[in-house]
Amino acid sequence: MNYKYILPVFLFSGTMLFSQATSQTIVPNENLIAENIPAIPKSLSEKIKKYSESRSANFTAIHPNGKELIMVTRFASTNQLHQISQPMGNRKQLTFFDEPVNSADYEPVKGEYLVYSKDIGGNEFGQLFKLDLKTMESKLLTDGGRSQNGGMVWKKDGSGFYFSSTKRNGGDRDIYFMNPLKPEETKLVLQVKGGGWGINDISDDGKKLIIGEYVSANEFQYRNPKA
């Protein structure tokens, strides 16, 4: 009897069994190392989707005319920006990215554009973008690199906003000022030590900020620098 064909038959059968098993379970992403974790059936994942995939609508900005709102909600798999122009009106979707957009601010005088934050592929390096509401075109405002940018606070005259960024060294969250019409002229306002700094408030004349540093769950401190 010739046995040379038996081994390939068993190998093929093993491959079929492995493929069938993996098709019925959740396979972790390649960037995750999963050890000693039981296989998760896809059937279980389907059952909990009605809890994990729930939809919400959150307010994020109001137009200077007081009549229009920007909401954050999801119709597909990520949060996106939607505009509401009248009471009980339909939502108009403004962004259609693969990555979520969870916040935005109107330019506070005319409201002709929005500034929003978004990362790429979940890398948590949030960049600031300007969305022109007439052309619906987005423009990158920050460096586009491995930096975290956010926490915008506008000056009331619309001449620009203050924000925090780690672009200086990737770790310390300094305070900057930007005119979104001239992002190349962004200025460093305050250089700090630590990654927990953020802007809490701005004076009416736009010349002073209150900033806070998150140190731990039990410690928070404030500073009042001149902008």
Side-chain angles (χ1 to χ4, degrees):
M1 183 175 180
N2 191 337
Y3 292 98
K4 67 179 181 179
Y5 296 109
I6 295 178
L7 181 59
V9 170
F10 279 116
L11 288 175
F12 180 74
S13 300
T15 302
M16 290 292 290
L17 291 173
F18 176 77
S19 298
Q20 184 179 6
T22 55
S23 66
Q24 297 175 356
T25 59
I26 301 297
V27 179
N29 295 330
E30 294 181 356
N31 62 330
L32 297 178
I33 299 176
E35 296 181 353
N36 302 320
I37 298 177
I40 302 174
K42 285 188 176 180
S43 59
L44 177 60
S45 175
E46 293 296 326
K47 288 181 180 179
I48 66 174
K49 272 189 176 180
K50 61 182 179 180
Y51 304 105
S52 62
E53 300 292 330
S54 60
R55 182 184 299 169
S56 63
N58 301 310
F59 164 80
T60 187
I62 184 169
H63 195 281
N65 64 18
K67 299 178 181 180
E68 300 177 23
L69 301 175
I70 298 296
M71 306 292 294
V72 175
T73 189
R74 58 187 294 176
F75 283 147
S77 59
T78 60
N79 286 342
Q80 299 295 324
L81 301 178
H82 294 74
Q83 184 181 48
I84 301 176
S85 299
Q86 62 184 33
M88 304 302 293
N90 293 328
R91 291 175 287 184
K92 176 185 177 183
Q93 188 167 346
L94 301 180
T95 58
F96 299 84
F97 302 115
D98 293 332
E99 295 81 12
V101 183
N102 293 314
S103 64
D105 283 300
Y106 275 109
E107 179 278 316
V109 177
K110 296 182 179 180
E112 294 180 345
Y113 60 87
L114 296 170
V115 176
Y116 65 89
S117 175
K118 178 178 70 68
D119 65 14
I120 298 176
N123 61 10
E124 298 186 3
F125 295 116
Q127 303 294 321
L128 298 180
F129 297 81
K130 172 178 170 286
L131 175 62
D132 189 314
L133 294 174
K134 293 182 179 179
T135 64
M136 298 309 297
E137 294 182 356
S138 288
K139 177 183 178 181
L140 177 65
L141 297 176
T142 43
D143 60 9
R146 298 177 66 83
S147 61
Q148 295 178 335
N149 306 270
M152 297 176 295
V153 176
W154 278 91
K155 294 182 69 174
K156 291 180 172 58
D157 62 6
S159 60
F161 58 82
Y162 298 93
F163 69 103
S164 62
S165 175
T166 63
K167 71 176 185 176
R168 178 169 57 87
N169 58 16
D172 297 323
R173 195 176 295 272
D174 301 324
I175 307 300
Y176 292 82
F177 176 78
M178 176 192 292
N179 177 353
L181 301 181
K182 299 178 180 179
E184 67 280 359
E185 298 180 3
T186 298
K187 297 179 181 180
L188 175 63
V189 173
L190 181 66
Q191 183 173 309
V192 298
K193 183 69 174 178
W197 292 97
I199 304 170
N200 294 88
D201 203 357
I202 185 172
S203 62
D204 289 339
D205 60 8
K207 296 182 179 180
K208 294 181 180 180
L209 300 174
I210 294 179
I211 66 172
E213 181 187 20
Y214 177 84
V215 180
S216 69
N218 300 316
E219 186 176 355
F220 199 94
Q221 57 181 327
Y222 293 96
R223 290 178 63 180
N224 187 7
K226 292 183 178 180

